[in-house]
Amino acid sequence: MTNQNPTPNEPVARLKDGLLQIAIWKNQSENGRPFYSTSALQRSYKDDAGSYQETTSLSGTQLLQAQRLYALAYEKVRELEEADYLASKE
């Protein structure tokens, strides 16, 4: 898992397992309240020319990795939401 100090248009976290990755984005509602969303799970691969590409299709053996990443993303979003809530109470 990689946490970053996000700049505009950068995710607040990226979760990886092998070739699979999910990004977590921080947004603000119309009333200024923060909320989080995730990108679709993506898989990296090399094409015939040797260039890296990304796809959302998975092989059967990658389904458990995807399940694990979605669970980690859920936990990370909950952690970020809690930190935002506590910061708003200060």
Side-chain angles (χ1 to χ4, degrees):
M1 175 171 56
T2 304
N3 289 321
Q4 303 175 357
N5 291 328
T7 58
N9 300 322
E10 287 290 323
V12 294
R14 291 183 194 273
L15 307 173
K16 294 183 177 187
D17 186 355
L19 299 174
L20 305 183
Q21 173 178 275
I22 294 176
I24 299 174
W25 302 86
K26 185 174 185 176
N27 303 286
Q28 283 199 338
S29 66
E30 291 179 8
N31 65 2
R33 187 171 180 214
F35 69 95
Y36 295 88
S37 60
T38 64
S39 64
L41 184 119
Q42 296 183 335
R43 176 178 57 87
S44 298
Y45 69 95
K46 279 189 178 180
D47 64 17
D48 292 339
S51 299
Y52 277 99
Q53 304 293 328
E54 291 183 338
T55 184
T56 56
S57 62
L58 304 174
S59 69
T61 59
Q62 292 168 325
L63 293 174
L64 289 176
Q65 283 178 288
Q67 177 188 20
R68 178 179 176 273
L69 278 178
Y70 280 120
L72 289 172
Y74 175 80
E75 292 298 325
K76 184 64 177 176
V77 166
R78 297 287 295 154
E79 176 185 309
L80 292 165
E81 289 172 338
E82 184 176 346
D84 288 340
Y85 175 77
L86 293 175
S88 73
K89 296 298 180 189
E90 293 178 348

